[in-house]
Amino acid sequence: MNEFELIGRYFTRPAQRAVLGVGDDCALLAPAQGRQLAISADMLVAGRHFFPDVDPYRLGHKALAVNLSDLAAMGAQPSWCTLSIALPAVDEAWLAAFSAGFFALADLHGVELVGGDTTRGPLTIAVQIAGEIEPGQALRRDGARIGDDIWVSGVLGAASVAVLARSGKLAGQGIVLSAEQQARCGERLDMPTPRVALGRALRGIAHAALDVSDGLLGDLRHIAARSGVAAELDWLQLPVDPAIINLPLAMQQQAVLTGGDEYELCFTAATAQRAALQALSVELDLPLTRIGRITAGEGVHARAGDGSPLLAGARGFDHFAA
Ligand code: ADP
Ligand code: MG
C-alpha cells in the first residue's frame, strides 16, 4: 500500500462542513459569520507521551482528545482538525484501530478531519485543531481576579498512577493495584474525556481557565502569572479519584497536585457563581469542585490538612527541565 492509498483508506471521509477537505494542497474552511478561530496543536511522541505498545484505538482517541481539551479550555466549539503522522511501517490492523478511535471521538464532537501529512519515521502523531468562538468570550488565562474561587472538573490523580503502574514504579514500592483500580487508572490515562460542553457552558461564568495537562500546580501557575495574582489551594477540598484513595497519602498528593494527563478543566469564577456552577455540575453530570481561591500576590500555594505548605517547589511537567 502506498502513501496515498493509506491516506485514502484510513484518513479520508466525505467532506462535511469544509468547503474542501482531504485531497488538495490545502483544505478550504469557512468559519461561521462573526466568529473567531481558536487554533491549537498537540504532538504525541512514542516513548515520551505514550507507551509504544499502547492500544492503537485508544491512541487515536487520545491524539484528538488532548487537542479537543485545549479548545474546551478556551470555551471554543470544535470544527476542524488536521492529522500529521509518522509511522515506522504500514501496519493495517494498527491503522484501522487508530483511525477508528480517532473518528469515534471526532464524530462525538462534530470535528472534521480536513488534511494532514503522512510520512515514514519514528511513531509520532501531531494533530492541529480549529474551533470557533464568539469574539470576547474566550476563557483566557489572564482573567483571574482577586477573590475568585478556583474550581476543577472531575476527579484527579488516576492518570499519573497509571503511568507509575505501567512503568513498574508502583511494584518497585511494593504497591499492587486491584484489577478494577488498574482498569480505571488506565482508562483515565488512555481515554481522557475532553470537557467541551463544560468549556462552552463556562463562557460568561469563568474568568480564567485552562486544561490540566502538565499537573495542577504547574498549570495553575500559568493562570496566576498571566493574571498577576496568587492561587491558594486546600488539599482537603481536592477531588481525589476514588481509584487511588488507598494509596499512601504522599503518593495521592503527588498524583493529584502534580500529575499530568488529566484533561480536566481548572477555572476561576466569582463567588457569586457558586450556585450556577453547582447547577451546571448536575446538568453535565460532572463533579465541579471548589478547591481554593485567588488572592493578591504571586505563585501557587497548596496547603495540607494541617495548614503546612504542600509540594511548594512543584513545577508542571517540562520536557526541557534540567
Ligand atoms: P502535499 O504533498 O501537497 O503536502 P500530501 O501528498 O502530503 O500533500 O497529502 C495529500 C492530501 O492528503 C492532502 O490534502 C493532505 O492534507 C492529506 N493528508 C495527508 N496525510 C493525511 C492524514 N494523515 N490525515 C488526513 N489527511 C491527510
Ligand atoms: Mg504533505
Side-chain angles (χ1 to χ4, degrees):
M1 181 166 36
N2 70 31
E3 181 186 323
F4 302 100
E5 287 165 347
L6 187 162
I7 296 166
R9 187 166 308 172
Y10 297 109
F11 298 118
T12 306
R13 302 198 308 176
Q16 298 160 38
R17 259 192 71 203
V19 179
L20 186 63
V22 169
D24 213 311
D25 296 308
C26 291
L28 298 175
L29 310 173
Q33 187 85 37
R35 285 177 147 197
Q36 294 175 340
L37 285 179
I39 306 281
S40 181
D42 256 302
M43 183 154 67
L44 298 181
V45 176
R48 179 146 286 275
H49 299 95
F50 60 92
F51 294 92
D53 61 351
V54 71
D55 175 68
Y57 183 96
R58 292 180 159 212
L59 187 59
H61 172 102
K62 184 157 180 177
L64 184 57
V66 301
N67 281 275
L68 284 165
S69 180
D70 282 320
L71 289 185
M74 214 67 191
Q77 180 67 45
S79 302
W80 304 287
C81 65
T82 64
L83 167 66
S84 298
I85 185 162
L87 298 164
V90 173
D91 175 340
E92 291 217 49
W94 191 96
L95 278 162
F98 177 89
S99 88
F102 188 94
F103 283 123
L105 186 63
D107 290 344
L108 212 55
H109 291 281
V111 61
E112 183 177 5
L113 179 63
V114 294
D117 201 19
T118 304
T119 158
R120 187 188 292 270
L123 182 58
T124 304
I125 300 144
V127 172
Q128 184 168 47
I129 199 157
E132 292 166 79
I133 180 84
E134 302 74 8
Q137 296 260 288
L139 309 175
R140 298 161 53 133
R141 296 179 176 186
D142 58 6
R145 299 180 204 167
I146 293 166
D148 277 359
D149 292 319
I150 303 172
W151 296 77
V152 74
S153 65
V155 290
L156 304 175
S160 68
V161 168
V163 175
L164 292 177
R166 289 186 189 167
S167 54
K169 287 180 187 152
L170 282 188
Q173 299 184 52
I175 295 170
V176 182
L177 298 182
S178 71
E180 296 80 59
Q181 279 177 302
Q182 255 180 56
R184 161 74 186 168
C185 293
E187 184 93 6
R188 286 287 301 165
L189 178 63
D190 296 341
M191 298 284 284
T193 303
R195 304 302 186 188
V196 176
L198 173 61
R200 294 294 286 160
L202 289 176
R203 285 172 302 147
I205 294 181
H207 287 153
L210 47 63
D211 64 324
V212 181
S213 55
D214 297 329
L216 182 62
L217 293 183
D219 286 330
L220 247 181
R221 262 176 212 287
H222 300 308
I223 286 185
R226 303 273 307 236
S227 301
V229 295
E232 291 182 7
L233 295 184
D234 176 1
W235 165 254
L236 294 180
Q237 292 179 262
L238 279 152
V240 182
D241 195 306
I244 69 164
I245 49 168
N246 68 340
L247 297 183
L249 179 62
M251 186 178 283
Q252 290 182 46
Q253 291 173 331
Q254 187 87 28
V256 168
L257 293 169
T258 71
D261 279 298
E262 294 287 357
Y263 302 105
E264 295 297 345
L265 298 189
C266 177
F267 56 94
T268 83
T271 55
Q273 299 290 353
R274 286 178 185 175
L277 287 163
Q278 270 143 17
L280 183 60
S281 168
V282 172
E283 185 192 324
L284 297 177
D285 192 22
L286 174 67
L288 297 178
T289 309
R290 210 150 35 85
I291 59 172
R293 60 196 193 102
I294 297 293
T295 56
E298 60 181 39
V300 177
H301 311 278
R303 303 217 168 265
D306 63 2
S308 59
L310 195 55
L311 295 164
R315 293 289 179 274
F317 185 80
D318 177 347
H319 287 279
F320 296 102

